[in-house]
Amino acid sequence: MQCSYFDAGVCRSCTLMGTEYSAQLADKQHDCKTLLAAHSRLEWLSPITSSEAGFRNKAKMAVGGTVDSPTLGILDAQKSGVDLRGCGVLQPGLRDALPRIACFISQARIAPYDVAARRGELKYVLLTEAPSGELMLRFVLRSREALSRIRKHLPGLQRALPRARMISVNLQPEHKAVLEGDTEIPLTPATTLAMRTNTIDLRLGAKSFFQTNTAIAEHLYTQAADWCAHKNPRSVWDLYCGVGGFALHVAAGARHVTGIEVSAEAIESATATATAAGIGNVRFIADNALRFAHESRAADIPDLAIVNPPRRGIGTDLAHWLDDSAVQTVIYSSCNAVSLARDLEAMPALAPVQARLFDMFPQTRHYETMVLLERR
């Protein structure tokens, strides 16, 4: 893939830009296999590849420039705005929406936040596109100062961007490198976006996590469902379940599935998805994964556990709990092979038997890995 922003040196976020895709994939596979080399009997399935361009379903655009000429992209070393509306890794629908959003910023007179001077209002534009083409649009503001103007001009934005199903304002008043704040102000009746994955419409709330590459997310869920079907467990836990992607994809037949996630918003979304889809053998609970595991009765321990933690991994405590438990099978989905390798070492009673790399993030060194573990 060729990128004019990268070639001009104005954006180097995609560190592998210009490298042949086959070479990117080979390097990632080598890196992952090296990190997991201690598990010599691990069978590696063929990696799942991605489109090289137009794969990102999310645009997290820092806002710079002026109210009459806002930039949507990143901030440079001097904290000045660099416009990246034509970024080639974004889905085309996102790129199409960004100029219209920039026009709205000027019309509503929402002053971009000047990091160096600590003045202005608009910090980020966060945009997510569903496979249907519908959009979730969020404006991250420092205060409510521009809120009345946003509401006044909102009908014009909705006419210019009819695909925007959900629009909201997030308040992040602090001067620090935090993407969003605690307060979310809905501006539309809809408060969720339906993200269709395979045959399930996952409902995303404003702060819900979803993988940045929808096609690869579908492959992740399919792989977990295939492994689960092969093992045919009577009960499953999906720890760090988010909006319920893994749990809902493995909830086949009479199998009892429980999803655990610390975010109450995500649990609400997952429950709504299950209800709408008529999936009655799954329940979702807002709780800390480690606490839930420790407080569960022996009779409730599942046959199979799915873990999909953040980059830090599941950690030693949960790894040791799984290792000592009656869980017979673990499916570990990881976005960081370093923490994955560390967690696998902490579970010696569970043998990694199959693994697969999923190229979630082309043009970067990041990737997803999924490992199937069975009790020795």
Side-chain angles (χ1 to χ4, degrees), residues 108-111 121 141 143-151:
R109 312 306 293 171
I110 317 170
E121 288 297 320
L141 302 177
S143 74
R144 297 174 183 264
E145 186 274 333
L147 193 54
S148 62
R149 297 193 301 280
I150 289 175
R151 286 195 167 114

Side-chain angles (χ1 to χ4, degrees), residues 14 28 37-38 43 105 110 118 126 144 153 177 220 256 263-264 314 320 341 345:
C14 294
K28 292 179 183 183
E43 176 191 1
I105 292 168
I110 317 170
R118 299 195 178 194
L126 307 179
R144 297 174 183 264
H153 290 275
L220 282 170
H256 182 72
S263 167
I314 64 174
H320 286 169
E345 287 299 311

